[in-house]
Amino acid sequence: MPAVDDPTLAPPEPPAAPGGTTPTAPAAPRPRGGLFRAFWRWHFYASFLVIPVVLVLAVTGLIYLFRFQLEPALHPELLRVDAPPEGAQLAGFEPYRIGVAATYPDATVVSMTEPATETDPLRFSLETAAGTPLDVFVDPWTGKILGDLNPDTTLSGTAVRLHADLMAGAVGDAVLELGACWAIVMALSGYYLFWRGRHARARKRRAGTGQARLRTTHAWTGAFVGGGLLMLVVSGLPWTGIWGANVQSLATRAGTSMWSQDHGALSDPVSTLDESLPHTHEVPWAQGRSPVPTSDPDAPTRSVATVDTALLLAAQEGLAHPMTVALPRDENGVLSVIGYAFDDPGRERSVHVDRFGGTVVSQYGYDDYPALAKTVAQGIALHEGRRFGTPNLVLTAAFCVAVVVMCVTGPLMWWRRRPRGQGRAGAPRGTLPLRATPLLAVAVVVLGVALPLFGASLLVVLLLDRFVLRRLPATRRFFDVA
């Protein structure tokens, strides 16, 4: 979304007539052709949709990136425990699970997550009778229940929900997807304008004009942001309700999948604070080609496995701590242990334990994912700033901050150069020369087909421009229609 400067926007001053008077002359024709002006116009109007969307995504993304620092600071009484005496060892967690279940009799214990460090609590994720998620925190050294939180109402939980669908369901999801699609247009057009406008910006800087520094800041920040924005948008599209759902449907028909959820457990972790786990998506386990593991309540051996049994067996299978144990909903369910794979999707693996026999009945991991799902898993880890550790986190955070800068400097530039008192938006005038540049026409069609929501919105905009904006003098003037 780099800034541009086009010296052809203002019509030339008419020459002075003899005697020093300025002759009355017909208005100079407004230039309308050329890629530069057309791209600038699309860049300008796309910003009205893109800026609010990417601003929300950038701010909520920043909160999400630093959730492990923010939440303990906001809830230290729940998310921090005193360090144990030297040499202390953790006892089993099953008594704590029983205690939590007894303390919250109207809720169902869905999962348990081990402490990551000696000062972290043991976390139980519950689901209330009303279907509301609830996280209960327990001191692993004393067994004291520290309290509970609805993860959806925390700062991080609210940011996640806004980031997902603006907390507006399918409508919010569609708005975010539409903004993300047009953000691609903003980034691509911005790079073109950045390159073509470089000489004009240099002249402005040499002339010391008022907006030179602001334009340069916007331009170079956009040059940095553009590539990262494209990566973040593309890696985030699989979550969307239209593009993501349609691509997943096509992938399923082709015998593959973007997602790789292992439905070995009959209940899934529900905590939005626990981001060390593989993301869950409602698709059939292994696309329905593998049997869902179950426990056998009629087995001759009636010993009942506990969460501690499951953790022990999973550790023997090589899963990394801290692990999460998803509990079964009924007698046929299994104890599913999910290993820690925060910064490496290649280590994602689940082990399913028969709750009666206490044996491993199946495993499912990254090596079992379809090739497409492996690609998506890596893209998600990169998108969330966790694939390459601290450098990935810092770079993603820098992208978010840069996007905020773009969202501020862009409107500020318009505000400073807007035509005052003329009843005009001050948009650059220009039309895409599609007939003269067939490759551009092909690119627009391909982008519209690849991104259906973008294609549909583009068609609406073109029809509106052709049959409404151009026909009414007031709208033609306000929108600066060429």
Side-chain angles (χ1 to χ4, degrees), residues 101-120:
T103 305
Y104 297 85
D106 297 327
T108 301
V109 180
V110 177
S111 68
M112 182 203 75
T113 300
E114 291 183 299
T117 70
E118 63 179 14
T119 57
D120 286 332

mmCIF file of all heavy atoms in Angstrom, residues 101-120:
data_model
loop_
_atom_site.group_PDB
_atom_site.id
_atom_site.type_symbol
_atom_site.label_atom_id
_atom_site.label_comp_id
_atom_site.label_asym_id
_atom_site.label_seq_id
_atom_site.Cartn_x
_atom_site.Cartn_y
_atom_site.Cartn_z
ATOM 1 N N ALA A 101 -13.990 -31.703 38.881
ATOM 2 C CA ALA A 101 -15.306 -32.204 38.493
ATOM 3 C C ALA A 101 -16.307 -32.075 39.638
ATOM 4 O O ALA A 101 -17.481 -31.752 39.427
ATOM 5 C CB ALA A 101 -15.197 -33.655 38.030
ATOM 6 N N ALA A 102 -15.844 -32.302 40.873
ATOM 7 C CA ALA A 102 -16.742 -32.188 42.019
ATOM 8 C C ALA A 102 -17.077 -30.732 42.323
ATOM 9 O O ALA A 102 -18.194 -30.415 42.756
ATOM 10 C CB ALA A 102 -16.096 -32.845 43.240
ATOM 11 N N THR A 103 -16.126 -29.833 42.094
ATOM 12 C CA THR A 103 -16.355 -28.419 42.367
ATOM 13 C C THR A 103 -17.282 -27.785 41.326
ATOM 14 O O THR A 103 -18.011 -26.829 41.632
ATOM 15 C CB THR A 103 -15.009 -27.662 42.394
ATOM 16 O OG1 THR A 103 -14.139 -28.294 43.351
ATOM 17 C CG2 THR A 103 -15.207 -26.200 42.772
ATOM 18 N N TYR A 104 -17.260 -28.305 40.102
ATOM 19 C CA TYR A 104 -18.107 -27.784 39.024
ATOM 20 C C TYR A 104 -19.016 -28.917 38.535
ATOM 21 O O TYR A 104 -18.861 -29.424 37.410
ATOM 22 C CB TYR A 104 -17.243 -27.254 37.880
ATOM 23 C CG TYR A 104 -16.374 -26.083 38.269
ATOM 24 C CD1 TYR A 104 -15.128 -26.286 38.867
ATOM 25 C CD2 TYR A 104 -16.794 -24.774 38.044
ATOM 26 C CE1 TYR A 104 -14.329 -25.214 39.227
ATOM 27 C CE2 TYR A 104 -15.992 -23.695 38.404
ATOM 28 C CZ TYR A 104 -14.766 -23.921 38.992
ATOM 29 O OH TYR A 104 -13.974 -22.855 39.353
ATOM 30 N N PRO A 105 -19.991 -29.330 39.341
ATOM 31 C CA PRO A 105 -20.804 -30.502 38.995
ATOM 32 C C PRO A 105 -21.701 -30.287 37.780
ATOM 33 O O PRO A 105 -22.116 -31.266 37.141
ATOM 34 C CB PRO A 105 -21.643 -30.726 40.263
ATOM 35 C CG PRO A 105 -21.704 -29.376 40.916
ATOM 36 C CD PRO A 105 -20.384 -28.737 40.625
ATOM 37 N N ASP A 106 -22.003 -29.044 37.442
ATOM 38 C CA ASP A 106 -22.876 -28.778 36.306
ATOM 39 C C ASP A 106 -22.118 -28.583 34.998
ATOM 40 O O ASP A 106 -22.709 -28.228 33.973
ATOM 41 C CB ASP A 106 -23.726 -27.529 36.581
ATOM 42 C CG ASP A 106 -24.660 -27.734 37.770
ATOM 43 O OD1 ASP A 106 -25.111 -28.877 37.970
ATOM 44 O OD2 ASP A 106 -24.918 -26.746 38.489
ATOM 45 N N ALA A 107 -20.825 -28.788 35.045
ATOM 46 C CA ALA A 107 -20.004 -28.643 33.845
ATOM 47 C C ALA A 107 -19.295 -29.953 33.540
ATOM 48 O O ALA A 107 -19.166 -30.824 34.409
ATOM 49 C CB ALA A 107 -18.986 -27.520 34.026
ATOM 50 N N THR A 108 -18.830 -30.087 32.301
ATOM 51 C CA THR A 108 -18.116 -31.290 31.866
ATOM 52 C C THR A 108 -16.645 -30.959 31.677
ATOM 53 O O THR A 108 -16.296 -29.987 30.985
ATOM 54 C CB THR A 108 -18.683 -31.816 30.534
ATOM 55 O OG1 THR A 108 -20.070 -32.110 30.703
ATOM 56 C CG2 THR A 108 -17.946 -33.062 30.084
ATOM 57 N N VAL A 109 -15.774 -31.736 32.295
ATOM 58 C CA VAL A 109 -14.339 -31.546 32.098
ATOM 59 C C VAL A 109 -13.977 -32.091 30.715
ATOM 60 O O VAL A 109 -14.168 -33.273 30.426
ATOM 61 C CB VAL A 109 -13.518 -32.252 33.189
ATOM 62 C CG1 VAL A 109 -12.020 -32.024 32.939
ATOM 63 C CG2 VAL A 109 -13.903 -31.735 34.569
ATOM 64 N N VAL A 110 -13.479 -31.221 29.870
ATOM 65 C CA VAL A 110 -13.197 -31.583 28.481
ATOM 66 C C VAL A 110 -11.737 -31.963 28.283
ATOM 67 O O VAL A 110 -11.422 -32.907 27.563
ATOM 68 C CB VAL A 110 -13.565 -30.412 27.550
ATOM 69 C CG1 VAL A 110 -13.217 -30.734 26.107
ATOM 70 C CG2 VAL A 110 -15.057 -30.091 27.667
ATOM 71 N N SER A 111 -10.834 -31.232 28.911
ATOM 72 C CA SER A 111 -9.411 -31.529 28.718
ATOM 73 C C SER A 111 -8.603 -31.009 29.892
ATOM 74 O O SER A 111 -9.081 -30.205 30.708
ATOM 75 C CB SER A 111 -8.899 -30.907 27.418
ATOM 76 O OG SER A 111 -8.883 -29.489 27.511
ATOM 77 N N MET A 112 -7.357 -31.462 29.952
ATOM 78 C CA MET A 112 -6.418 -31.021 30.967
ATOM 79 C C MET A 112 -5.081 -30.760 30.298
ATOM 80 O O MET A 112 -4.628 -31.555 29.464
ATOM 81 C CB MET A 112 -6.253 -32.090 32.053
ATOM 82 C CG MET A 112 -5.321 -31.674 33.185
ATOM 83 S SD MET A 112 -4.635 -33.109 34.055
ATOM 84 C CE MET A 112 -3.407 -33.678 32.870
ATOM 85 N N THR A 113 -4.451 -29.634 30.645
ATOM 86 C CA THR A 113 -3.157 -29.295 30.071
ATOM 87 C C THR A 113 -2.121 -29.193 31.168
ATOM 88 O O THR A 113 -2.325 -28.527 32.189
ATOM 89 C CB THR A 113 -3.223 -27.965 29.299
ATOM 90 O OG1 THR A 113 -4.175 -28.086 28.242
ATOM 91 C CG2 THR A 113 -1.871 -27.614 28.699
ATOM 92 N N GLU A 114 -0.988 -29.857 30.972
ATOM 93 C CA GLU A 114 0.109 -29.821 31.938
ATOM 94 C C GLU A 114 0.681 -28.418 32.077
ATOM 95 O O GLU A 114 0.601 -27.613 31.142
ATOM 96 C CB GLU A 114 1.239 -30.734 31.459
ATOM 97 C CG GLU A 114 0.976 -32.198 31.480
ATOM 98 C CD GLU A 114 2.219 -32.948 31.036
ATOM 99 O OE1 GLU A 114 2.676 -32.745 29.890
ATOM 100 O OE2 GLU A 114 2.747 -33.723 31.837
ATOM 101 N N PRO A 115 1.297 -28.120 33.202
ATOM 102 C CA PRO A 115 2.020 -26.847 33.333
ATOM 103 C C PRO A 115 3.242 -26.860 32.411
ATOM 104 O O PRO A 115 3.934 -27.874 32.274
ATOM 105 C CB PRO A 115 2.443 -26.818 34.801
ATOM 106 C CG PRO A 115 1.609 -27.870 35.482
ATOM 107 C CD PRO A 115 1.301 -28.897 34.450
ATOM 108 N N ALA A 116 3.505 -25.720 31.788
ATOM 109 C CA ALA A 116 4.675 -25.627 30.911
ATOM 110 C C ALA A 116 5.953 -25.418 31.714
ATOM 111 O O ALA A 116 7.020 -25.891 31.337
ATOM 112 C CB ALA A 116 4.491 -24.492 29.912
ATOM 113 N N THR A 117 5.844 -24.691 32.834
ATOM 114 C CA THR A 117 6.994 -24.449 33.713
ATOM 115 C C THR A 117 6.555 -24.696 35.146
ATOM 116 O O THR A 117 5.366 -24.898 35.428
ATOM 117 C CB THR A 117 7.513 -23.009 33.578
ATOM 118 O OG1 THR A 117 6.554 -22.107 34.142
ATOM 119 C CG2 THR A 117 7.736 -22.631 32.110
ATOM 120 N N GLU A 118 7.472 -24.605 36.066
ATOM 121 C CA GLU A 118 7.148 -24.888 37.468
ATOM 122 C C GLU A 118 6.319 -23.782 38.106
ATOM 123 O O GLU A 118 5.786 -23.956 39.200
ATOM 124 C CB GLU A 118 8.427 -25.121 38.266
ATOM 125 C CG GLU A 118 9.360 -23.929 38.339
ATOM 126 C CD GLU A 118 10.603 -24.206 39.159
ATOM 127 O OE1 GLU A 118 10.881 -25.394 39.449
ATOM 128 O OE2 GLU A 118 11.284 -23.227 39.526
ATOM 129 N N THR A 119 6.207 -22.636 37.437
ATOM 130 C CA THR A 119 5.371 -21.555 37.985
ATOM 131 C C THR A 119 4.066 -21.391 37.203
ATOM 132 O O THR A 119 3.360 -20.389 37.374
ATOM 133 C CB THR A 119 6.134 -20.222 37.988
ATOM 134 O OG1 THR A 119 6.563 -19.915 36.656
ATOM 135 C CG2 THR A 119 7.329 -20.290 38.923
ATOM 136 N N ASP A 120 3.766 -22.335 36.326
ATOM 137 C CA ASP A 120 2.503 -22.315 35.586
ATOM 138 C C ASP A 120 1.483 -23.210 36.273
ATOM 139 O O ASP A 120 1.840 -24.228 36.873
ATOM 140 C CB ASP A 120 2.701 -22.812 34.151
ATOM 141 C CG ASP A 120 3.411 -21.792 33.289
ATOM 142 O OD1 ASP A 120 3.285 -20.589 33.586
ATOM 143 O OD2 ASP A 120 4.093 -22.192 32.328
#
